């Protein structure tokens, strides 16, 4: 048998035997405030008239064939009604066989004024997902036995492998004012079967609970001082037996943003004698006119460690357009944008 193939087979068997259970979960963004439709479909329409966002994440960048995730979203609030629409496309890729998952979703949300300062927005998302991999890069048992990974396989599982496509549904609700926001979302409500074989492997429902607030600051004299703010927020998510809490804050000063975040649940043990610490994250951002740019880095603090994982890099880009009839004026609806806006238009004047 080929020595390289033999080593790979032995390592793979050791890995399988050393794992009693294997878990997986949806990709997540550290800058969840910069991926609002991915976080909760109810955020569709919570900005000026138009918003487009692009997000990129390279998870554990130093590992071979690391997890890479992309997301694009667009949303629009209909000026003549309380309705809002949006669309989101996300894809992630991992592994030497390029295991990929692409999701496309259409969103509708409705704005319910609770009083002059408080609003509620329920939403529903209809999506379609496609999973695929490069089956030619898989190595089966009979190929290892002959010591030739290029030889055709007769393994029956190889004939049963197929790309997987399914519908996927999500819903959410947010309640917000210009000072705070809170919401929850449910993704994969129908728990679709994602097995590439004839068996069943249901995708667990993902539940998230999130909220935050804006604390305005004034630097300098009362009337002529520079406006800034601190925006603390949290995002708790649970999917199957996996759960995690993101907790931190962003500090806004004119066109700059700085953030510090903790990811994990410090009082919970995810394995025997192991506290659930995942990462510490720092973020920076810049706002120029209608364009917002953000970068964040996750430093792994779990047993994997930053030296072996390389940490995680994330980039976000958001463009907002307010096509009002009176340039320079903020509409009444836009005045009550919720806090998670990356750089709220009412926060400072260029």
């Amino acid at each position: 048998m080929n020595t390289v193939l033999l080593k790979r087979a032995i390592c793979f068997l050791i890995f399988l035997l050393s794992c009693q259970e294997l878990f997986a979960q949806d990709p997540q963004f550290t800058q969840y405030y910069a991926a609002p439709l991915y976080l909760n479909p109810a955020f569709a329409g919570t900005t000026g008239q138009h918003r487009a966002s692009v997000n990129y994440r390279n998870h554990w960048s130093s590992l071979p064939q690391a997890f890479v995730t992309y997301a694009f979203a667009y949303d629009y609030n209909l000026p003549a009604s309380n309705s809002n629409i949006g669309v989101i496309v996300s894809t992630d890729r991992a592994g030497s066989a390029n295991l990929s998952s692409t999701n496309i979703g259409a969103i509708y949300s409705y704005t319910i004024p609770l009083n002059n300062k408080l609003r509620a927005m329920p939403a529903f998302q209809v999506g379609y997902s496609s999973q695929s991999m490069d089956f030619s890069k898989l190595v089966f048992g009979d190929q290892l036995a002959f010591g030739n990974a290029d030889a055709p396989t007769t393994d029956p599982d190889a004939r049963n492998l197929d790309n997987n496509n399914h519908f996927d549904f999500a819903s959410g609700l947010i309640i917000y004012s210009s000072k705070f926001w809170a919401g929850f979302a449910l993704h994969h409500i129908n728990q679709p079967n994602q097995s590439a074989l004839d068996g069943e492997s249901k995708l667990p429902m993902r539940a998230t609970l999130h909220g935050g607030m804006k604390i305005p600051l004034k630097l300098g004299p009362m009337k002529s001082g520079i406006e800034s703010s601190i925006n603390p927020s949290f995002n708790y998510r649970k999917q199957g037996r996996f759960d995690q809490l993101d907790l931190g804050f962003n500090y806004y000063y004119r066109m700059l943003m700085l953030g510090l975040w903790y990811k994990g649940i410090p009082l919970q043990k995810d394995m025997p004698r192991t506290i659930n610490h995942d990462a510490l994250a720092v973020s920076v951002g810049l706002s120029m006119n209608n364009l917002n740019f953000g970068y964040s880095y996750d430093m792994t603090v779990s047993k994997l460690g930053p030296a072996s994982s390389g940490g995680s890099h994330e980039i976000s880009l958001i463009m907002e357009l307010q096509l009002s009839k009176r340039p320079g004026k903020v509409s009444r609806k836009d005045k009550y944008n919720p806090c998670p806006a990356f750089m709220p238009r009412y926060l400072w004047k260029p």
Side-chain angles (χ1 to χ4, degrees):
M1 179 186 290
N2 182 282
T3 305
V4 175
L5 289 176
L6 178 60
K7 290 181 178 179
R8 290 180 179 177
I10 293 174
C11 291
F12 182 68
L13 288 173
I14 293 174
F15 172 76
L16 289 180
L17 293 174
S18 63
C19 297
Q20 295 179 338
E21 294 179 289
L22 295 177
F23 303 100
Q25 58 278 336
D26 291 347
Q28 296 294 324
F29 291 104
T30 294
Q31 300 176 58
Y32 55 84
Y33 52 86
L37 270 63
Y38 187 87
L39 174 65
N40 189 336
F43 280 119
T46 55
T47 182
Q49 294 173 0
H50 302 269
R51 173 174 56 191
S53 63
V54 179
N55 304 88
Y56 163 81
R57 179 175 177 84
N58 189 342
H59 190 68
W60 295 344
S61 56
S62 68
L63 299 182
Q65 308 297 330
F67 299 89
V68 178
T69 304
Y70 303 87
F72 167 80
Y74 167 79
D75 62 306
Y76 174 68
N77 69 66
L78 302 172
S81 70
N82 289 330
S83 297
N84 313 281
I85 57 175
V87 61
I88 181 169
V89 180
S90 63
T91 181
D92 64 278
R93 185 182 70 251
S96 58
N98 290 325
L99 176 62
S100 300
S101 177
T102 300
N103 310 276
I104 302 175
I107 300 171
Y108 173 81
S109 66
Y110 187 79
T111 304
I112 304 174
L114 301 179
N115 55 39
N116 290 335
K117 296 183 178 181
L118 198 62
R119 296 172 180 234
M121 291 182 67
F124 186 72
Q125 176 178 316
V126 178
Y128 188 76
S129 299
S130 175
Q131 292 178 316
S132 63
M133 70 175 69
D134 186 353
F135 297 123
S136 65
K137 294 186 178 181
L138 299 180
V139 179
F140 296 88
D142 55 348
Q143 294 173 311
L144 289 172
F146 288 108
N148 184 4
D150 296 324
T153 179
T154 59
D155 194 309
D157 284 338
R159 295 191 296 270
N160 294 329
L161 287 171
D162 193 11
N163 295 331
N164 181 274
N165 304 300
H166 52 261
F167 284 99
D168 202 343
F169 301 100
S171 66
L173 171 70
I174 60 170
I175 298 176
Y176 68 91
S177 70
S178 61
K179 301 297 183 182
F180 83 95
W181 57 280
F184 71 90
L186 297 174
H187 290 80
H188 318 307
I189 295 175
N190 55 323
Q191 299 188 53
N193 182 20
Q194 58 177 349
S195 175
L197 297 170
D198 292 333
E200 185 177 69
S201 176
K202 289 186 176 182
L203 181 61
M205 184 185 303
R206 170 164 57 95
T208 57
L209 179 67
H210 32 268
M213 63 185 299
K214 185 182 77 169
I215 305 174
L217 303 174
K218 200 82 164 182
L219 305 180
M222 183 63 66
K223 292 186 177 180
S224 60
I226 298 173
E227 292 186 0
S228 62
S229 74
I230 294 178
N231 288 23
S233 66
F234 73 93
N235 179 32
Y236 172 77
R237 56 189 181 272
K238 180 175 178 59
Q239 186 173 18
R241 295 186 61 184
F242 169 84
D243 63 342
Q244 183 170 288
L245 173 67
D246 293 1
L247 183 65
F249 67 91
N250 287 336
Y251 171 70
Y252 297 96
Y253 176 81
R254 287 188 178 267
M255 57 193 302
L256 300 177
M257 182 274 291
L258 298 174
L260 180 63
W261 301 88
Y262 167 78
K263 308 176 73 172
I265 303 180
L267 300 180
Q268 175 180 295
K269 294 184 178 181
D270 57 353
M271 292 185 295
R273 299 180 301 279
T274 302
I275 301 298
N276 183 359
H277 295 306
D278 181 25
L280 293 175
V282 293
S283 58
V284 295
L286 179 66
S287 177
M288 297 177 293
N289 297 322
N290 297 317
L291 194 63
N292 305 310
F293 170 82
Y295 168 79
S296 63
Y297 174 75
D298 294 13
M299 182 180 68
T300 306
V301 294
S302 65
K303 282 191 172 182
L304 186 61
S308 57
S309 70
S312 302
H313 303 269
E314 194 172 299
I315 296 173
S316 67
L317 191 64
I318 299 178
M319 182 176 66
E320 297 184 17
L321 293 177
Q322 175 71 36
L323 304 179
S324 62
K325 295 181 180 180
R326 301 172 62 186
K329 299 291 184 180
V330 179
S331 68
R332 182 173 181 83
K333 182 173 183 177
D334 193 39
K335 282 177 62 178
Y336 299 112
N337 284 351
C339 293
F342 177 81
M343 188 67 70
R345 205 178 300 277
Y346 50 77
L347 183 60
W348 64 281
K349 296 181 180 179

